[in-house]
Amino acid sequence: MMFPFTTPSPSPADIPTEPWEASPGVEGFLLGFFLLGIALAFLMWSMNRHLRKIKHSATVEKRRVEAEAKKSEQATKGSDQKSQGAKLSKSEQEPPKGEDSA
């Protein structure tokens, strides 16, 4: 919005401009390209760091789940052996003496 008592001096239409004067030129292009490259490098660095964290977390979680599964399997196996041992007589628990148990 222009103030009512002021007039631009000189008026913008009176200034002759060439197309190369109105563009940022090669320097502007190179500067912009350089700044975009720096931003891209920072984003790649940050993404790589976050992906490493995710991979590490997934590995830790996988190991924890495997350990819990192994622990519960051993607990189940141990309780099954105890319950079967209580049901079987002594002669059923021991293999026959004449045969090899392979």
Side-chain angles (χ1 to χ4, degrees):
M1 179 169 141
M2 299 207 36
F3 295 106
F5 300 108
T6 60
T7 58
S9 175
S11 67
D14 296 342
I15 301 174
T17 57
E18 297 294 324
W20 58 270
E21 291 178 331
S23 70
V26 175
E27 297 87 9
F29 172 76
L30 293 176
L31 179 65
F33 199 76
F34 179 72
L35 292 176
L36 283 174
I38 289 174
L40 179 65
F42 173 75
L43 287 173
M44 287 172 45
W45 174 74
S46 178
M47 183 183 69
N48 195 13
R49 197 177 76 209
H50 282 74
L51 288 175
R52 258 189 261 125
K53 282 182 186 178
I54 291 170
K55 184 177 179 181
H56 177 71
S57 298
T59 304
V60 169
E61 180 67 19
K62 182 180 176 184
R63 287 180 184 164
R64 186 186 65 79
V65 168
E66 288 174 353
E68 286 180 359
K70 187 175 181 181
K71 191 176 186 181
S72 66
E73 182 182 312
Q74 288 176 351
T76 308
K77 187 177 179 181
S79 66
D80 287 346
Q81 287 177 350
K82 287 179 184 177
S83 65
Q84 286 179 355
K87 292 178 185 177
L88 298 175
S89 66
K90 187 176 182 181
S91 62
E92 292 175 331
Q93 291 178 7
E94 296 176 2
K97 293 188 180 197
E99 299 175 6
D100 289 334
S101 58

